[in-house]
Amino acid sequence: MIEELRKKAEELLKNDTVKVVFGYGEGSVPERTRPVFITKPEDVNKLTWNKYCVYNLTTYLKRQETRKLGKPAIIVKGCDARTIIVLLKECQIKREDVYILGVTCDGVGDPLATKCESCDVHTPRIYDDLVGEKKENKEVPFEERYAELDEYEKLGEKEKWEFWQKQFSKCIKCYACSNMCPLCFCDRCIVEKNQPQWIDSSAHARGNLSWNVTRAYHLAGRCINCEECQRVCPVDIPLNLLNKKLAKEAEKNFDYRPGYSVDDELAMSTYKEEDSQEFFK
Amino acid sequence: MEKLLNKNKFDTLIAGLKKQGYKTVAPKKDNRLVTLEEVQDASEISLDHVITNNSIKEFFFPKTEKILSYTLDKNKVEMEEPKGFAVKSVIFGTRPCDAFSLPVMDKVFNWDCSDKFWVERREAITIVTISCDKSDSYCFCTSVGLAPDAKQGSDVLLTKISNDEYLVETVTEKGENLVKEMESVFSDPPGTPDRQVATVEEKFDLKKIKPWLDDNFEHDVWDEFSNKCIGCGACTFVCPTCHCFDIVDECTMTKGDRVKNWDGCQFTMFTMHTSGHNPRSTQGMRWRQRIMHKFKYYVEKFDSTLCVGCGRCSRVCPADMNISEMLELIETEAGK
Amino acid sequence: MSKAEAKPENQFEPKIIAFLCNWCTYAGADLAGTGRKEYQANVRIIKLPCTGGIDPLFLIKAFERGADGILVSGCHPGDCHYNSGNYHARRRWNVFRPLLEFCGINPDRIQFSWISAAEGGKWVETINGIVDAVRELGPFESYQKLNTIGPETTGEATAASGETG
Ligand code: SF4
Ligand code: SF4
Ligand code: SF4
Ligand code: SF4
Ligand code: SF4
């Protein structure tokens, strides 16, 4: 598969379909890969593919440094391809401005990432070209997809509060979570605004709660569960639980899952008259 | 002074420190992380790691701290300075690179004015370091003039000499006093201890770095190396020698706190002017700043490298940017 | 306008912040006033054009500044002065409320209602309801404790000692 990827990349660069290929290269240690940006056909053997290809490379579509390199071909797994769908729908990219090099995927991470256990996009749902053997995208039932949440939803109010306070207290406000997230693309994040100061920039208990809740909330109905934010958090806060909780509510209440279709309406920019209002008086 | 400490005396040691009124900070394991944090007894301590995820920095220069609080009245302002921030403590089981970061940072925190928060904590805290008996491929202390059993910055240095014994060497008077205070837990050292110290390969020649930096403020490698960097700043926060901070007021109409928070040169906002102009407008420029500050500017100003080779920045980097690789690259460029 | 009858001594008086839309609920509250209806005086009203413009951060900010409970209220579905602001708001609260609950905040501290300009009575009921409910829950101490920046929330607690809650 690596050979096939390299060949494809070489072709695309040679015939000038794209100026750069966003892919995975060898990392500092064998258990890591790193993003690479291939601009010359002779460099394609720097590309690799293995279970350590955890990155969601679509995040580089938002960065001026990598945008500057010209039209990209971007290597995406099924989950990453969901990001592309959201980015298209949110008008962040134009379809003709990216060449999508999909790869079929059995799962990444060691141990296997949680997202991969309930993956239903082993074959990307959007691509220009597919590398690897096509795999069946089996549907995974709702309960199974959100099973991870059960033990936390069961906790009492006080336990929940204590659990999250303990987690949030670790936050050092490095913003790796939002910088890595391909869907956190505001030029200026709300946390960087200080007229007024909506979110305290201090990494104290108050500032950390409002930051973590707001970051998660801004991804409601948008997060495609690539788990990148959690992976990069240097203090290991289980951010994915928050994202998943929101995804679950969005699916339950609006019957919506982001990144599955280019034709649906974005959950948070539309409404239905019959939306639930159980708790409204 | 040299002594011997057996692992089975850790209990008595930590309990003894507590009795003497010390707060004890030591490496503790929690899930995937090993962090330096307060411990109540020896059973919480974990020593099976290469290096803790958090650096020693936060015990002297916390991620966030109040430096002043005030109340505003119609015609007066009242200010109150925090007290009690320097707590008599022992940091037990930190690494030589972390310990060395302290004298390196003393220079900047005592520069044109002395930062009392740093200085008073420095006085109140005693550093008991454990030499590294293992390392990983991110470590490069030997390339910046240190060693896995370096003593600078420690008050006491422990070095493993058998599975459950440590050689205890006092480095400063403070360390000597601490060992005396806890005398009963130590015994006499063997004549020729077999020090178990990790080997750390030297990755680059520090002497070649600065001359190249002097000449290459403009160079393609800055952008090329850093195009995968996402500008998150995690590297600066986990770094024991990064010391930039931001001061903000958190206030209502009538009262407020002035707070000092970690900040870092990898953020876009770090250099953003009010006008919107940003003199360091690309990540390449920000990455260059990080390297320049550590291996050129700080050397010129304080005659010391602002990096102790702990490798944390590279371990934690979400995009696998590796600082020693950058320095090796500079060495290669310098040889061209 | 608080009730005339004697209050139990030392009774906790919760601070309730109400974010109201200008067109319906605010007018409803006004009607309650002009109709000289009595309700508990624990509520501070913040008038905004539309519930559709209420950012969840307003709620967080209110808690940070000492609110014990929050009410968000606007026009009934179909009655929005701007056509659909309240529908959008409803979507937001449908995900935001469970998120706060997931983080350990009692959902009774944040309530939502539709009150029209004609429903002065419903306003009174709603306010009395939330004040009683929050009084029962007591002061929101766990949130207010987050306000302390001291040695206990700085470096020493950085590494998840869990003492900050
Ligand atoms: S979620 Fe699916 S597509 Fe994404 S990495 Fe896991 S197995 Fe691959
Ligand atoms: S919030 Fe996290 S999991 Fe969701 S899209 Fe962003 S990085 Fe991926
Ligand atoms: S990555 Fe983790 S530590 Fe950094 S800001 Fe996000 S939650 Fe906080
Ligand atoms: S070098 Fe790595 S850790 Fe540092 S800002 Fe860049 S991506 Fe973040
Ligand atoms: S720059 Fe990196 S290796 Fe050097 S002291 Fe800082 S974290 Fe450690």
Side-chain angles (χ1 to χ4, degrees):
Chain A
M1 204 157 132
I2 299 182
E3 277 319 309
E4 208 182 330
L5 257 181
R6 291 177 180 167
K7 224 174 82 211
K8 268 268 126 55
E10 188 177 8
E11 216 174 278
L12 291 167
L13 288 167
K14 267 197 176 142
N15 64 21
D16 213 26
T17 313
V18 301
K19 295 276 179 237
V20 54
V21 178
F22 295 2
Y24 304 96
E26 260 174 45
S28 295
V29 289
E31 303 77 39
R32 270 178 110 166
T33 59
R34 65 167 56 139
V36 289
F37 308 95
I38 310 286
T39 49
K40 297 185 208 108
E42 59 271 26
D43 284 345
V44 294
N45 48 9
K46 288 191 183 149
L47 289 171
T48 188
W49 171 252
N50 56 40
K51 65 174 170 183
Y52 301 112
C53 294
V54 287
Y55 302 86
N56 181 347
L57 297 171
T58 62
T59 199
Y60 290 101
L61 294 172
K62 75 176 181 187
R63 292 198 61 80
Q64 52 145 333
E65 288 80 2
T66 35
R67 276 188 121 131
K68 206 155 67 181
L69 300 172
K71 178 175 174 177
I74 177 164
I75 297 177
V76 293
K77 308 182 287 291
C79 45
D80 310 335
R82 285 178 64 193
T83 332
I84 300 230
I85 294 180
V86 179
L87 289 172
L88 285 169
K89 296 177 60 63
E90 294 185 348
C91 304
Q92 294 303 307
I93 48 172
K94 288 206 205 86
R95 184 65 186 85
E96 62 273 22
D97 291 345
V98 277
Y99 189 94
I100 308 170
L101 207 47
V103 283
T104 58
C105 166
D106 287 321
V108 293
D110 189 15
L112 190 71
T114 326
K115 63 176 172 182
C116 305
E117 282 166 17
S118 57
C119 174
D120 57 6
V121 284
H122 292 288
T123 299
R125 297 176 65 105
I126 186 171
Y127 54 80
D128 291 301
D129 219 326
L130 188 67
V131 174
E133 209 171 300
K134 221 170 178 162
K135 294 186 166 65
E136 194 195 347
N137 285 335
K138 257 202 236 97
E139 230 174 89
V140 181
F142 182 88
E143 291 73 27
E144 215 173 290
R145 277 188 273 118
Y146 298 108
E148 199 190 346
L149 293 175
D150 293 350
E151 70 176 291
Y152 300 94
E153 284 175 334
K154 273 205 304 264
L155 296 176
E157 180 188 319
K158 192 157 170 271
E159 287 84 47
K160 281 183 184 142
W161 178 263
E162 277 164 8
F163 172 78
W164 284 110
Q165 282 308 312
K166 183 171 172 207
Q167 294 300 336
F168 295 158
S169 74
K170 297 191 284 186
C171 177
I172 53 176
K173 288 264 176 84
C174 64
Y175 308 130
C177 47
S178 57
N179 275 302
M180 199 44 147
C181 176
L183 296 170
C184 269
F185 47 62
C186 298
D187 274 343
R188 194 149 175 192
C189 175
I190 179 85
V191 76
E192 293 166 343
K193 295 192 176 149
N194 58 2
Q195 294 286 342
Q197 186 87 47
W198 280 110
I199 298 174
D200 288 321
S201 53
S202 308
H204 51 42
R206 184 180 67 207
N208 286 354
L209 176 64
S210 63
W211 162 242
N212 282 284
V213 163
T214 306
R215 187 209 58 82
Y217 171 73
H218 283 184
L219 274 300
R222 306 175 58 233
C223 166
I224 50 77
N225 189 38
C226 62
E227 298 184 348
E228 278 291 89
C229 47
Q230 175 161 323
R231 175 182 71 82
V232 304
C233 176
V235 296
D236 219 10
I237 301 177
L239 298 173
N240 208 39
L241 291 175
L242 299 174
N243 303 331
K244 260 212 167 142
K245 174 68 184 169
L246 285 162
K248 181 178 177 181
E249 294 301 324
E251 185 169 356
K252 196 177 81 192
N253 294 318
F254 321 132
D255 193 21
Y256 186 77
R257 297 182 69 200
Y260 281 84
S261 152
V262 251
D263 304 315
D264 56 21
E265 282 200 79
L266 289 163
M268 299 313 279
S269 56
T270 185
Y271 64 87
K272 289 203 182 89
E273 280 179 20
E274 64 279 10
D275 276 344
S276 148
Q277 51 175 9
E278 239 176 89
F279 56 83
F280 281 72
K281 297 230 162 72
Chain B
M1 182 178 10
E2 283 193 10
K3 292 274 179 195
L4 183 105
L5 176 64
N6 195 299
K7 250 188 181 162
N8 61 24
K9 286 283 165 59
F10 278 8
D11 265 346
T12 342
L13 175 65
I14 305 298
L17 288 172
K18 205 171 175 180
K19 213 182 274 154
Q20 296 290 331
Y22 287 99
K23 185 180 112 176
T24 308
V25 169
K28 211 166 147 177
K29 199 168 162 63
D30 177 22
N31 213 350
R32 292 196 332 213
L33 300 185
V34 184
T35 42
L36 283 171
E37 56 186 287
E38 186 171 359
V39 293
Q40 300 305 331
D41 64 77
S43 64
E44 295 171 62
I45 300 178
S46 158
L47 293 175
D48 196 28
H49 53 276
V50 173
I51 194 166
T52 52
N53 291 76
N54 61 340
S55 84
I56 202 172
K57 161 170 92 177
E58 68 189 49
F59 299 95
F60 301 87
F61 167 35
K63 60 181 180 176
T64 181
E65 90 176 305
K66 183 162 72 182
I67 56 174
L68 191 70
S69 33
Y70 50 83
T71 44
L72 309 171
D73 219 336
K74 250 197 213 107
N75 35 29
K76 78 172 183 279
V77 180
E78 268 181 62
M79 291 192 279
E80 200 192 330
E81 295 197 23
K83 285 185 201 73
F85 51 81
V87 183
K88 181 175 152 191
S89 330
V90 167
I91 299 185
F92 179 84
T94 187
R95 292 300 189 206
C97 50
D98 266 10
F100 185 58
S101 72
L102 300 171
V104 170
M105 297 259 270
D106 282 342
K107 299 183 179 182
V108 68
F109 282 113
N110 286 292
W111 175 37
D112 56 351
C113 79
S114 92
D115 180 302
K116 69 168 185 193
F117 299 96
W118 175 273
V119 173
E120 287 180 29
R121 287 194 179 102
R122 281 287 275 138
E123 276 160 21
I125 301 176
T126 310
I127 310 292
V128 180
T129 306
I130 301 182
S131 301
C132 302
D133 61 335
K134 55 181 172 188
S135 63
D136 66 15
S137 61
Y138 297 101
C139 298
F140 63 98
C141 56
T142 47
S143 310
V144 289
L146 282 171
D149 58 348
K151 287 183 184 156
Q152 301 103 302
S154 303
D155 295 306
V156 180
L157 180 71
L158 270 51
T159 306
K160 210 169 180 179
I161 52 171
S162 77
N163 267 346
D164 30 43
E165 286 170 322
Y166 292 88
L167 178 71
V168 180
E169 296 166 272
T170 57
V171 185
T172 61
E173 206 182 309
K174 210 184 196 176
E176 201 152 316
N177 292 339
L178 186 84
V179 171
K180 278 188 197 143
E181 251 180 299
M182 297 293 137
E183 201 142 33
S184 61
V185 301
F186 302 103
S187 45
D188 287 329
T192 45
D194 170 27
R195 297 155 145 263
Q196 298 179 10
V197 179
T199 37
V200 176
E201 171 208 356
E202 215 176 300
K203 296 192 165 173
F204 55 86
D205 182 359
L206 188 62
K207 286 198 297 295
K208 300 210 175 112
I209 305 297
K210 188 170 175 295
W212 188 87
L213 293 175
D214 289 341
D215 291 339
N216 289 286
F217 189 77
E218 302 293 345
H219 198 287
D220 289 344
V221 299
W222 300 121
D223 279 345
E224 277 163 19
F225 194 87
S226 69
N227 54 13
K228 57 187 172 291
C229 170
I230 55 160
C232 66
C235 48
T236 64
F237 284 9
V238 297
C239 175
T241 55
C242 276
H243 52 262
C244 289
F245 56 80
D246 181 32
I247 291 184
V248 290
D249 277 15
E250 292 178 349
C251 51
T252 62
M253 301 292 273
T254 53
K255 60 178 197 267
D257 293 320
R258 182 154 296 174
V259 190
K260 176 170 135 197
N261 292 325
W262 287 353
D263 202 349
C265 57
Q266 301 306 293
F267 296 119
T268 316
M269 295 294 291
F270 189 68
T271 44
M272 179 79 89
H273 294 180
T274 319
S275 65
H277 171 68
N278 195 341
R280 275 184 220 139
S281 55
T282 66
Q283 205 58 40
M285 293 167 150
R286 289 170 215 129
W287 174 247
R288 173 179 66 198
Q289 163 63 23
R290 188 156 196 269
I291 301 294
M292 287 281 181
H293 188 198
K294 292 187 174 294
F295 296 92
K296 173 173 157 68
Y297 308 147
Y298 206 79
V299 183
E300 285 165 1
K301 203 164 201 157
F302 298 117
D303 197 23
S304 166
T305 303
L306 189 62
C307 168
V308 294
C310 70
R312 278 196 189 86
C313 52
S314 312
R315 276 184 212 98
V316 82
C317 177
D320 195 22
M321 296 266 291
N322 189 309
I323 193 168
S324 60
E325 210 176 289
M326 178 74 213
L327 294 158
E328 284 168 52
L329 188 72
I330 290 179
E331 192 186 24
T332 319
E333 289 288 331
K336 273 184 190 167
Chain C
M1 279 229 283
S2 64
K3 289 195 174 159
E5 41 296 0
K7 274 190 276 175
E9 231 175 281
N10 297 331
Q11 177 179 271
F12 161 61
E13 289 303 337
K15 260 189 230 141
I16 308 292
I17 305 296
F19 293 98
L20 309 182
C21 91
N22 179 36
W23 305 99
C24 294
T25 308
Y26 189 80
D30 213 17
L31 183 68
T34 45
R36 303 201 166 258
K37 290 199 165 98
E38 275 187 31
Y39 57 90
Q40 300 183 67
N42 301 55
V43 57
R44 278 89 164 148
I45 292 174
I46 296 175
K47 181 173 80 167
L48 293 150
C50 176
T51 44
I54 299 175
D55 192 293
L57 267 170
F58 293 8
L59 277 57
I60 301 254
K61 213 59 193 178
F63 281 136
E64 288 185 353
R65 292 288 161 90
D68 300 300
I70 293 171
L71 173 71
V72 176
S73 185
C75 312
H76 284 271
D79 292 348
C80 177
H81 187 79
Y82 308 99
N83 292 332
S84 59
N86 55 356
Y87 286 126
H88 286 289
R90 190 171 62 184
R91 281 231 154 176
R92 259 174 240 159
W93 308 126
N94 263 320
V95 291
F96 191 65
R97 187 174 181 267
L99 176 64
L100 290 190
E101 188 182 355
F102 191 61
C103 293
I105 294 179
N106 191 314
D108 283 347
R109 293 198 187 269
I110 333 153
Q111 302 199 13
F112 302 88
S113 64
W114 307 131
I115 298 175
S116 78
E119 293 176 314
K122 185 172 177 189
W123 167 255
V124 171
E125 254 168 58
T126 308
I127 290 303
N128 285 336
I130 182 167
V131 172
D132 290 342
V134 175
R135 184 178 289 125
E136 189 80 12
L137 291 172
F140 202 178
E141 268 168 8
S142 42
Y143 211 116
Q144 270 130 48
K145 265 196 212 141
L146 304 184
N147 280 325
T148 39
I149 323 170
E152 67 277 17
T153 48
T154 55
E156 286 82 339
T158 303
S161 55
E163 288 150 3
T164 31

